[in-house]
């Protein structure tokens, strides 16, 4: 099915939760963004909203009640039913490249051009916390299906997987040198993260510690010694053999 009628430079797409509709965001000038709703059942489309800024990312809440956008002027929220607009966070000399809801619809994550991630309460729109995640713009954010992990992808050639129960813990860090990540997605069971990169490659990464350990143990001939354990794992964690059969 070919959809035609979107004016301007297409930036973002997201399906409605029932998969019967599609939202597209585009801009015709740096100060003119437009969102179109496509009815995939009746093959029609209409203008959903406009905004006086470039719209870089859109995401619809899991309950289908509102749409959130990352723009050059901040993070904006629209009611699906009434199209009422609310700016939930203004950008000061900044822009928001990506927005994403968690699976339960209780959180909104947003990433900016400086590498910072913002977390908002999706019901009250209040800012819960920010944290520096990358050294370059955040290009994609995805929550795992069970909401226990948040994956971030950046132009610093790094993908990070954060523990949402404690964001102060050091994330799992995946480095793909000289190969910018463009998009990420969790598998339906949450056991893998798929990443698409600038060199036309797609990678599949394990997200579970046990699976990571099994893969690593299959490639090494011995366990860490105590000095290596203290250097790479930590002094405060009791030494153990990570590969029991080695």
């Amino acid at each position: 099915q070919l959809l035609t009628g979107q004016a301007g430079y297409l930036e973002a797409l997201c399906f409605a939760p029932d998969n019967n509709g599609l939202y597209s965001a585009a801009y015709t000038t740096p100060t003119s963004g437009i969102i179109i709703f496509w009815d995939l059942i009746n093959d029609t489309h209409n203008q959903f909203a406009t905004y006086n800024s470039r719209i870089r990312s859109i995401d619809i809440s899991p309950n289908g009640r509102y749409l959130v956008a990352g723009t050059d002027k901040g993070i904006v929220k629209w009611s699906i039913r009434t199209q009422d607009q609310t700016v939930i966070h203004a950008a000061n000399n900044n822009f928001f490249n990506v927005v994403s809801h968690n699976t339960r619809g209780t959180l909104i994550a947003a990433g900016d051009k400086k590498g910072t991630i913002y977390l908002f309460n999706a019901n009250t729109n209040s800012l819960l916390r920010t944290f520096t995640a990358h050294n370059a713009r955040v290009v994609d954010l995805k929550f795992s299906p069970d909401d226990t992990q948040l994956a971030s992808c950046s132009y610093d050639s790094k993908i990070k997987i954060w523990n949402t129960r404690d964001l102060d813990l050091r994330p799992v860090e995946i480095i793909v040198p000289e190969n910018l990540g463009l998009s990420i997605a969790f598998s339906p069971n949450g056991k893998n993260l798929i990443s698409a990169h600038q060199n036309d490659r797609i990678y599949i990464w394990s997200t579970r510690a046990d699976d990571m350990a099994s893969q690593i143990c299959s490639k090494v001939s011995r366990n860490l010694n105590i000095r290596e354990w203290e250097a790479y794992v930590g002094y405060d964690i009791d030494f153990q053999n990570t590969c029991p059969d080695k």
Side-chain angles (χ1 to χ4, degrees):
Q1 185 176 1
L2 179 64
L3 305 178
T4 59
Q6 174 80 66
Y9 182 85
L10 185 63
E11 282 273 24
L13 298 167
C14 72
F15 281 97
D18 61 7
N19 290 322
N20 291 330
L22 176 73
Y23 292 86
S24 61
Y27 71 94
T28 53
T29 71
T31 57
S32 179
I34 183 170
I35 300 174
I36 299 293
F37 173 71
W38 306 83
D39 185 329
L40 302 178
I41 302 301
N42 299 306
D43 196 20
T44 61
H45 67 277
N46 60 275
Q47 179 178 296
F48 172 75
T50 60
Y51 193 60
N52 60 345
S53 171
R54 178 176 174 179
I55 299 173
R56 294 176 177 266
S57 175
I58 55 175
D59 194 42
I60 193 167
S61 61
N63 61 15
R65 293 180 180 175
Y66 56 84
L67 186 80
V68 173
T71 79
D72 283 2
K73 288 189 174 181
I75 302 170
V76 187
K77 184 188 225 181
W78 285 273
S79 164
I80 295 295
R81 185 176 62 85
T82 66
Q83 285 82 59
D84 288 343
Q85 173 189 297
T86 303
V87 176
I88 66 176
H89 191 81
N92 297 314
N93 299 317
N94 198 359
F95 63 72
F96 290 91
N97 208 53
V98 58
V99 290
S100 181
H101 290 87
N102 69 343
T103 305
R104 291 180 295 165
T106 56
L107 295 174
I108 298 169
D112 71 10
K113 72 174 183 179
K114 300 176 182 178
T116 302
I117 294 176
Y118 300 67
L119 286 180
F120 298 88
N121 183 309
N123 297 315
T124 65
N125 300 333
S126 59
L127 179 63
L128 300 176
R129 69 170 294 168
T130 65
F131 56 99
T132 301
H134 293 276
N135 296 320
R137 73 174 62 177
V138 182
V139 295
D140 204 2
L141 290 168
K142 290 294 190 305
F143 286 92
S144 62
D146 63 2
D147 286 338
T148 61
Q149 294 177 310
L150 172 64
S152 60
C153 178
S154 169
Y155 278 174
D156 64 4
S157 297
K158 294 180 181 179
I159 297 169
K160 296 185 180 183
I161 303 174
W162 307 83
N163 184 335
T164 57
R165 297 188 182 99
D166 188 352
L167 291 167
D168 293 321
L169 292 175
R170 186 173 180 175
V172 173
E173 187 172 297
I174 301 166
I175 302 175
V176 187
E178 300 178 359
N179 190 359
L180 298 181
L182 303 175
S183 181
I184 51 177
F186 279 94
S187 60
N189 61 12
K191 291 185 177 181
N192 294 293
L193 184 73
I194 299 92
S195 62
H197 294 258
Q198 198 174 41
N199 67 347
D200 299 329
R201 290 179 180 249
I202 295 175
Y203 297 91
I204 300 176
W205 314 94
S206 295
T207 62
R208 298 291 188 262
D210 290 346
D211 293 337
M212 294 180 196
S214 296
Q215 291 180 21
I216 293 171
C217 287
S218 68
K219 299 180 184 298
V220 300
S221 59
R222 63 175 178 84
N223 282 284
L224 297 176
N225 59 40
I226 293 179
R227 180 173 294 180
E228 291 168 335
W229 179 275
E230 291 175 347
Y232 299 110
V233 179
Y235 289 92
D236 57 337
I237 301 175
D238 292 338
F239 175 81
Q240 59 179 304
N241 288 328
T242 51
C243 300
D245 58 341
K246 300 294 182 180

